[in-house]
Amino acid sequence: MYAQIVLFDGFDPLDVIAPFEVLAAGGALAGGGALAGGGALAGGGLEVRLVSAEGPRRVVSGTLGLALEATAGLDPSLPGYVVVPGASGPIEGDPAEVDTIPVLLARVGETALPGLIATAMGRPEVTVATVCGGSLALAMAGLLEGRTAVTHAQGLDVLDATGVTVVDARVVDDGDLITAGGVTSGLDLGLYLVERSFGPRIAHAVERLFQYERRGTVWRDAGLAPVPA
């Protein structure tokens, strides 16, 4: 099983690093720990990769020029998870002069990434996950219409306008689409994916290792619906 974490120009570093470290630790605690190709940590049948739609390349984030290396191209046929981060930068400004977060997210739709994600979403063995504005990038590219998702609090109205059913939860599980809210929710997303893959004991062990406890209830379309007061 693979966890492919996508890099694109202007990505938010924490959206990437938080799930990367959590998934790597979960795989290691599930019985692995050997280094796989490209320097990704493999364990418990999980290989974590940093990828891009364009293939191996140096990708510059939206935070002070910090860059990470994509060691492979996104392969939508690989079973497991594809994780799409949000962008980092100013919220407002002249788009002709400033790469704002909305501009960066919209540019994702001009790349090969939406097509690759669409292919991944068509495969039953692949779950697509997003952190923060990652769901907005996919929604603006027309991939999430009719789905249930969340994004950063400042983007909920925009997400709703794309035809998404918005649930303001820390993590929203819509089957083969799992979305998380603001930037630090990448930790909660990673832990939830670890629990789905390896069970609660491994997820708890990662929580203890990181000295972090998951926040909020993961929303799923299951159980009783609340009765209006």
Side-chain angles (χ1 to χ4, degrees), residues 148-165:
T148 302
V150 69
T151 190
H152 190 284
Q154 292 178 307
L156 294 177
D157 291 345
V158 179
L159 190 63
D160 178 73
T162 66
V164 172
T165 299

Side-chain angles (χ1 to χ4, degrees), residues 14-43:
L14 189 56
D15 289 2
V16 170
I17 295 301
F20 183 94
E21 288 211 38
V22 170
L23 290 166
L29 288 168
L35 284 175
L41 185 65

Side-chain angles (χ1 to χ4, degrees), residues 26-154:
L29 288 168
L35 284 175
L41 185 65
L46 179 67
E47 181 175 325
V48 187
R49 295 179 172 178
L50 295 182
V51 301
S52 81
E54 299 78 18
R57 69 184 182 99
R58 180 177 182 269
V59 188
V60 179
S61 76
T63 302
L64 299 177
L66 177 67
L68 293 175
E69 292 286 337
T71 59
L74 172 59
D75 185 346
S77 69
L78 293 178
Y81 303 110
V82 175
V83 182
V84 181
S88 175
I91 299 294
E92 299 179 347
D94 184 348
E97 299 179 358
V98 180
D99 285 340
T100 63
I101 289 177
V103 167
L104 292 169
L105 295 177
R107 284 181 187 163
V108 172
E110 302 170 1
T111 71
L113 184 57
L116 293 168
I117 295 295
T119 300
M121 294 178 78
R123 295 183 176 273
E125 68 274 20
V126 179
T127 295
V128 173
T130 68
V131 183
C132 199
S135 57
L136 279 177
L138 300 187
M140 290 190 292
L143 297 177
L144 301 190
E145 186 173 358
R147 302 301 299 263
T148 302
V150 69
T151 190
H152 190 284
Q154 292 178 307

